[in-house]
Amino acid sequence: QVQLVESGGGLVQAGGSRELSCTVSARTLSNYRMGWFRQAPAKEREFLAAIRWSSGSTYYADSVKGRFTISRDNAKNTVYLQMNNLKPEDTAVYYCAAGPSFITLASMTYTYWGQGTQVTVSS
């Protein structure tokens, strides 16, 4: 069983930065790849970034490439999403997810999900 707990959401001004954290409870972290998604009101869930826990390899959606950075800290069992130059359209609930490591980072198949953390960007 894998448990994911996101934190770091809140209110931020446009142009600002925010770092989200996802603390992971799992027996063997190297078995997983981690992803960040978001969902704005009345919109579909959107993939943002993924990282393979074992290698640190990353993959980004074109919409956030260059603004968002995914990383992980093995010692803290935590995955991060650093978000820079935030825009009002980045307002959404942000979710962390875990999926099998052997699947390509571009896959949208994830097994475990966190409860989400709200990020609101004011103009």
Side-chain angles (χ1 to χ4, degrees), residues 43-107:
K43 291 190 176 181
E44 293 187 354
R45 187 170 59 198
E46 176 188 13
F47 167 80
L48 301 174
I51 187 167
R52 201 179 307 280
W53 202 284
S54 57
S55 65
S57 299
T58 59
Y59 177 78
Y60 294 92
D62 288 342
S63 60
V64 300
K65 198 175 295 183
R67 285 198 306 132
F68 291 7
T69 302
I70 189 171
S71 62
R72 90 282 193 233
D73 185 327
N74 290 332
K76 295 183 178 180
N77 285 13
T78 300
V79 176
Y80 302 97
L81 184 69
Q82 175 67 41
M83 305 183 293
N84 298 327
N85 190 23
L86 285 164
K87 307 171 183 179
E89 51 265 41
D90 293 317
T91 295
V93 177
Y94 285 70
Y95 296 92
C96 172
S101 181
F102 61 84
I103 296 177
T104 175
L105 286 174
S107 171

Side-chain angles (χ1 to χ4, degrees), residues 4 6 14 20-21 24 32 39 51 53 56-57 88 91 107 109 113:
L4 310 173
E6 300 100 332
L20 304 181
S21 301
V24 185
Y32 298 96
Q39 188 165 20
I51 187 167
W53 202 284
S57 299
T91 295
S107 171
T109 302
W113 293 84

